[in-house]
Amino acid sequence: MAKMTLESLRALRESRQQGIERRETDGKEIHVIIGMGTCGIAAGSKKVLEAFINEIDAKKIENVIVKQTGCMGLCYVEPTVEVKAPGMPDTIYGKVDADVAKKILYDHILNGKLVSDHIYQRPAADNVVKG
Amino acid sequence: MHAEIADFLVDCLQNSVEANAKYIILDYFYFVDDRIEVAIIDNGKGMDSEILKKIQDPFYTDGTKHVRRKVGLGIPFLIQAVNLSGGHFSVESQKGKGTELRFSFDLKNIDTPPEGDVNGAVVQTMMFDGDFELEFNKKRIENGIEKGYTIKKTELTDALGGLSDASSIKLAKTFLDSQDEDLI
């Protein structure tokens, strides 16, 4: 691989963006948030992150923001992924691997169908409204 | 338990992000056939000497992230891996000033974990929410000859217009991998 400069990186980025008809995305982004706490890392969340990024990039799926976060409090079902998509309930998936990640992408994100076998509830203590 | 050295990097860098560091330096020095030396230096909230002792205990956490959770395994995992493979670990911190964490792995020890995807770990860390700078200094030292490069998070985000979509994230990783050309 030839060594890239920051200028060539910028040019590559711009050339990829050309030709993509950008839709109006205000408030319509889909967020995929991957749990990368100690528990997630130990359970293999990196493979899940890679699966999402590779698949979203390969299929040129727009409006998906991929982020990572720390422990969601569900260490026993790591790797975990939270998906926030318009018109769908915010959903936490657990026991996710690369195959489940693809299923989440195609079923939940593209077709609005929950991947029922992998849904988990936030720990009860985190749902208590502090007042 | 973490499988690769890259996993420890993500975990420890995340500690710096969560300590609200605005500037994080990652030194990753690869001494061929000898050792890997890592330093993570941040200007986050830091710790006093009492807390500094406790972080080495797997049954200690500051308790702010998750109510009633009683474990904090990031640093203990690292210490365990280092101890099992003849490496070194040290941490210094000053409350309100920041933390300096250093560790090394002995490449001649069979129990040293594989290196893993170090550049991937750096890009992953950059994907955390938060307004922080990450300076990545990578060096490879062979027969006394030192080669290396420095790249900052803001340089990548400026060129890519952010690091939140899959395409930018992949480009950032490709860019870092291509910088490794300088090291050989």
Side-chain angles (χ1 to χ4, degrees):
Chain A
M1 190 198 318
K3 191 189 157 195
M4 294 165 77
T5 61
L6 284 166
E7 288 70 39
S8 64
L9 181 66
R10 190 187 304 269
L12 196 58
R13 167 72 179 161
E14 281 163 8
S15 74
R16 286 202 182 183
Q17 284 197 318
Q18 278 171 5
I20 298 176
E21 201 182 317
R22 303 209 69 85
R23 292 197 296 262
E24 191 57 52
T25 57
D26 285 352
K28 287 182 188 163
E29 289 109 346
I30 295 159
H31 290 252
V32 174
I33 305 157
I34 295 157
M36 286 270 183
T38 301
C39 45
I41 297 168
S45 52
K46 184 161 190 295
K47 295 252 181 295
V48 175
L49 176 70
E50 283 169 357
F52 272 111
I53 289 172
N54 289 335
E55 206 65 16
I56 291 167
D57 187 52
K59 300 285 186 308
K60 301 203 183 321
I61 301 165
E62 277 184 79
N63 307 347
V64 180
I65 291 175
V66 184
K67 279 190 199 165
Q68 67 160 327
T69 187
C71 170
M72 297 189 204
L74 293 167
C75 308
Y76 68 107
V77 290
E78 291 289 344
T80 51
V81 175
E82 183 168 17
V83 181
K84 296 179 175 182
M88 298 276 287
D90 293 352
T91 309
I92 296 178
Y93 290 108
K95 296 186 182 174
V96 180
D97 58 17
D99 290 335
V100 177
K102 284 182 195 167
K103 207 168 158 49
I104 292 170
L105 188 62
Y106 291 111
D107 288 4
H108 185 134
I109 294 173
L110 294 180
N111 291 309
K113 209 173 87 187
L114 295 171
V115 182
S116 310
D117 315 348
H118 290 271
I119 295 175
Y120 289 88
Q121 173 67 284
R122 230 174 249 288
D126 289 3
N127 287 329
V128 176
V129 179
K130 294 183 184 92
Chain B
M1 189 68 178
H2 296 343
E4 298 172 335
I5 293 172
D7 295 336
F8 291 110
L9 295 180
V10 181
D11 206 333
C12 295
L13 286 165
Q14 187 182 141
N15 287 340
S16 295
V17 176
E18 289 182 347
N20 292 322
K22 291 289 163 226
Y23 205 101
I24 306 166
I25 297 171
L26 167 64
D27 290 340
Y28 188 87
F29 300 162
Y30 189 99
F31 295 79
V32 178
D33 295 332
D34 189 36
R35 66 192 190 279
I36 293 171
E37 283 185 4
V38 177
I40 296 173
I41 301 157
D42 73 49
N43 64 352
K45 64 182 174 186
M47 294 165 279
D48 58 31
S49 55
E50 199 183 325
I51 304 286
L52 200 56
K53 261 184 239 159
K54 286 184 182 168
I55 59 163
Q56 308 196 14
D57 175 357
F59 298 103
Y60 170 76
T61 180
D62 67 4
T64 54
K65 264 194 292 188
H66 299 289
V67 184
R68 289 198 291 273
R69 192 176 71 172
K70 297 285 185 233
V71 295
L73 296 177
I75 299 288
F77 271 177
L78 173 63
I79 293 173
Q80 187 182 30
V82 159
N83 287 344
L84 284 173
S85 59
H88 295 280
F89 167 85
S90 70
V91 58
E92 287 173 27
S93 190
Q94 256 186 298
K95 202 169 170 58
K97 291 263 171 73
T99 300
E100 204 169 305
L101 184 123
R102 294 178 185 275
F103 59 91
S104 68
F105 278 102
D106 179 0
L107 291 170
K108 297 184 291 298
N109 191 309
I110 196 159
D111 291 319
T112 289
E115 195 180 11
D117 180 7
V118 172
N119 293 344
V122 171
V123 175
Q124 267 181 56
T125 306
M126 291 175 177
M127 289 167 61
F128 269 109
D129 265 341
D131 179 24
F132 63 92
E133 179 65 289
L134 174 62
E135 178 186 315
F136 177 38
N137 301 310
K138 196 175 193 183
K139 278 185 192 165
R140 182 183 155 100
I141 300 102
E142 190 169 17
N143 300 324
I145 299 166
E146 190 179 294
K147 292 178 180 176
Y149 61 85
T150 293
I151 192 84
K152 290 181 180 174
K153 177 188 161 189
T154 44
E155 291 176 317
L156 286 174
T157 50
D158 283 353
L160 293 166
L163 258 182
S164 58
D165 63 291
S167 170
S168 305
I169 294 163
K170 277 203 87 163
L171 280 175
K173 171 74 167 60
T174 310
F175 176 83
L176 276 188
D177 287 346
S178 86
Q179 303 307 302
D180 287 355
E181 295 270 305
D182 273 357
L183 305 183
I184 305 161

